[in-house]
Amino acid sequence: MATSKASSSLSPKALIFMGLLALQFGIQPIVTKKFTSPEIIKSTVIFTQEIVKLLIAMIGITLNTSTKWKDITSGWSIQSWLRLALLPATIYLIQNLCSLLAYQNLDAITYNVLNQTKTLSAALCCFLLLGKRQSKLQIVALVILLVAALVMEGVLPLNLEYYVNYLSNAASTTEDSNDTTKFSLSSRHVSHGVLPIMLASFLSGLAGAITQKSLQSGGGRNALMFTMELCVASILILLVSFATSEDGKKIQERGFFDQWTVLTLVPILTNSAGGILVGLVIKYAGTIRKGFALIFGILISGIVQSLIDENKSLSKEDISGGLLAALSLYMHASFPYFPKTKAKLNKMT
């Protein structure tokens, strides 16, 4: 039954959108650092990004001759918007708050390790909400992808001496059990660090699965239309937050465009394009494969930084992580899960 396998494979359109998302994700930190002031009011940037994303989606629908507004909006209602768009938008907001809390209370290595479990969470949520199972080799591929991310982020350096020193330090630490300052697993470390980032990871997978269900089931919602719905929900949530948040007070005191320049629009445009690409990748490749695109984005970021900064070069961790990510993507696309009945039919044919 070739059709089952074909449905699990990556179409040319899916590969293009994944490639563009990886490129955007790779250059985003670079352009943001270069063109965004550290003193800028963060929520003003996010608010503007949502408006720009909304406009891009509207223009995309208008210019696409194969789609008509009448067809896209048929069957649309406030109830469907609340159910399909406001819910994931709220989940993303809570996820961002949890990530920020964890970032403030965890060291960089712990944060990066736990944050990279998002793809595993996406696989779990796709199974719970969509009934999409992973084959044994696909599970192995997801673990390889996690390792690839940790290698590229320097959490798992390719240096034997590092692990020897780590084990020796760990042994000396256990010998001095009375020195409680050496242990970071305090109640605050867990409650304000570990638990929030694990919750953020799960919420990322949950929101992705909900989005995938909206975009793919029953013919699927138009990806650009769904992006518009998410933008409207996010804009409303941000407007409400301005009335009570610290950023809202800063806007009243300093003005909305304080620390802005014309070049501030560059990272806003790239990030808005990335938001639209996320919807397209989820629709045509799935939320799990979105994780693959983002890991390749880390590799692209390393390549770009090595090209523009003479003091930085592409490390062996970047290269090894990229190869592992490529291997994991191949395994995940080539060995999908087959129900036992279908597997028997495949053997018979």
Side-chain angles (χ1 to χ4, degrees), residues 132-265:
K132 291 185 176 293
R133 295 176 177 269
Q134 303 290 306
S135 68
K136 292 180 180 179
L137 282 176
Q138 283 183 317
I139 294 174
V140 172
L142 294 177
V143 174
I144 292 175
L145 183 68
L146 173 62
V147 172
L150 298 180
V151 168
M152 282 191 282
E153 293 197 0
V155 178
L156 294 176
L158 302 178
N159 187 341
L160 182 60
E161 184 180 354
Y162 168 84
Y163 297 100
V164 172
N165 292 335
Y166 178 83
L167 292 174
S168 62
N169 290 335
S172 62
T173 299
T174 54
E175 290 175 1
D176 189 6
S177 58
N178 294 325
D179 189 0
T180 57
T181 59
K182 290 182 179 179
F183 294 92
S184 60
L185 287 178
S186 63
S187 59
R188 181 176 178 83
H189 177 90
V190 175
S191 63
H192 289 66
V194 175
L195 291 181
I197 192 59
M198 293 301 292
L199 178 59
S201 175
F202 175 77
L203 290 176
S204 174
L206 178 61
I210 293 173
T211 300
Q212 182 172 337
K213 185 175 182 179
S214 300
L215 292 174
Q216 292 184 350
S217 61
R221 218 172 184 83
N222 180 277
L224 294 179
M225 180 65 184
F226 187 74
T227 296
M228 290 176 58
E229 292 179 288
L230 281 177
C231 289
V232 172
S234 299
I235 289 169
L236 292 176
I237 292 172
L238 284 169
L239 286 174
V240 172
S241 72
F242 285 157
T244 57
S245 68
E246 189 66 29
D247 276 5
K249 295 178 182 178
K250 290 180 181 179
I251 291 173
Q252 292 179 357
E253 296 171 358
R254 295 160 46 186
F256 188 91
F257 294 105
D258 182 58
Q259 300 296 321
W260 278 59
T261 67
V262 175
L263 293 177
T264 305
L265 291 173

Side-chain angles (χ1 to χ4, degrees), residues 135 137-138 140-141 144 326-336:
S135 68
L137 282 176
Q138 283 183 317
V140 172
I144 292 175
L327 172 63
S328 64
L329 178 58
Y330 168 77
M331 289 176 61
H332 198 272
S334 301
F335 302 99

Side-chain angles (χ1 to χ4, degrees), residues 4 9 19-20 23 72 98-99 131 175 182 186 198 209 249 278 318 325 336:
S4 296
S9 61
L20 291 174
L23 177 62
I72 293 174
C98 289
S99 295
E175 290 175 1
K182 290 182 179 179
S186 63
M198 293 301 292
K249 295 178 182 178
V278 165
D318 290 329

Side-chain angles (χ1 to χ4, degrees), residues 245-322:
S245 68
E246 189 66 29
D247 276 5
K249 295 178 182 178
K250 290 180 181 179
I251 291 173
Q252 292 179 357
E253 296 171 358
R254 295 160 46 186
F256 188 91
F257 294 105
D258 182 58
Q259 300 296 321
W260 278 59
T261 67
V262 175
L263 293 177
T264 305
L265 291 173
V266 174
I268 287 176
L269 287 170
T270 54
N271 212 17
S272 299
I276 290 175
L277 286 169
V278 165
L280 292 169
V281 168
I282 291 177
K283 181 174 181 66
Y284 294 105
T287 188
I288 296 174
R289 289 224 177 121
K290 181 196 75 174
F292 287 87
L294 299 185
I295 300 305
F296 281 112
I298 298 175
L299 174 62
I300 291 175
S301 183
I303 294 173
V304 173
Q305 286 183 340
S306 67
L307 292 175
I308 63 176
D309 190 343
E310 295 180 354
N311 297 322
K312 293 183 179 180
S313 59
L314 197 62
S315 66
K316 59 183 178 182
E317 283 79 13
D318 290 329
I319 298 172
S320 300

